[in-house]
Amino acid sequence: MFIGHTALALAAKRRSPEISLGWLVAAAYALDLIWPVLLLLGVEQVTFGSATGGFDQLTFISYPWSHSLLMSLVWGGLVFGFARWRGVSALSSLILGALVVSHWVLDYVSHAPDMPLWPGDSPHVGLSLWSSILLTFVVEGGLFIAGIWLYVTATKAKDRIGSIGLWTFLVLQAVLWATTPIFPPPTSVTALAWSALIAEWVLIAWAWWADRHRAVG
């Protein structure tokens, strides 16, 4: 999924009000932050062309170290441990770790059966939500709307940035997501990896910036 990950980060703010939305978004997208780096290193592989014939435009050939169930648990455990080491409460640390693992769960729902359970000789699973553009809009769009509602009813803008910054962040993500089936991906794997990495970190910084201008309650 795409904005489905943001939806869970937005919802998590209600239970972890002391954690910046930027960190929550980073945790929810953690596997996709690791994946472009491994693409650039040649450790994982992707090719162009839809594996589902629907919403996505990529076929994920191999990504066991970023997107297997076992490694998502490992990455989530590392995030939990790092957060605890930095003095984050046990509950919020657990939520950050759970957001990392939730990425695999949502991708399992949306991807073709290309999601490995562990690195190596593993079964590959996936429910192929992306094979239907209509269902993708209904399911993932519904998650996004629910996440937005949970966030905006748990926080309030302290100034104009808290309002405009948040809504431009949300609208931009929605537009990028909704136009995925229309616009072609970058022309090379290297360009894909760099564009994904830069876009994700810009969105994380944007979420952090907007959240700084909002108060819980």
Side-chain angles (χ1 to χ4, degrees), residues 142-167:
L143 279 175
F144 193 51
I145 292 170
I148 292 171
W149 182 82
L150 288 170
Y151 179 81
V152 299
T153 55
T155 65
K156 58 184 177 182
K158 295 189 288 187
D159 51 32
R160 286 175 61 85
I161 293 175
S163 179
I164 296 173
L166 172 68
W167 287 105

Side-chain angles (χ1 to χ4, degrees), residues 98-188:
L99 282 172
V100 175
V101 179
S102 76
H103 189 108
W104 189 93
V105 177
L106 292 185
D107 279 6
Y108 161 71
V109 173
S110 56
H111 280 227
D114 58 23
M115 301 289 297
L117 299 181
W118 57 79
D121 186 15
S122 163
H124 288 70
V125 297
L127 298 181
S128 299
L129 174 67
W130 277 344
S131 65
S132 170
I133 294 176
L134 176 60
L135 280 179
T136 300
F137 276 109
V138 171
V139 174
E140 193 167 4
L143 279 175
F144 193 51
I145 292 170
I148 292 171
W149 182 82
L150 288 170
Y151 179 81
V152 299
T153 55
T155 65
K156 58 184 177 182
K158 295 189 288 187
D159 51 32
R160 286 175 61 85
I161 293 175
S163 179
I164 296 173
L166 172 68
W167 287 105
T168 51
F169 164 74
L170 296 173
V171 169
L172 176 62
Q173 277 220 302
V175 170
L176 291 174
W177 166 71
T179 56
T180 297
I182 302 172
F183 291 102
T187 55
S188 71

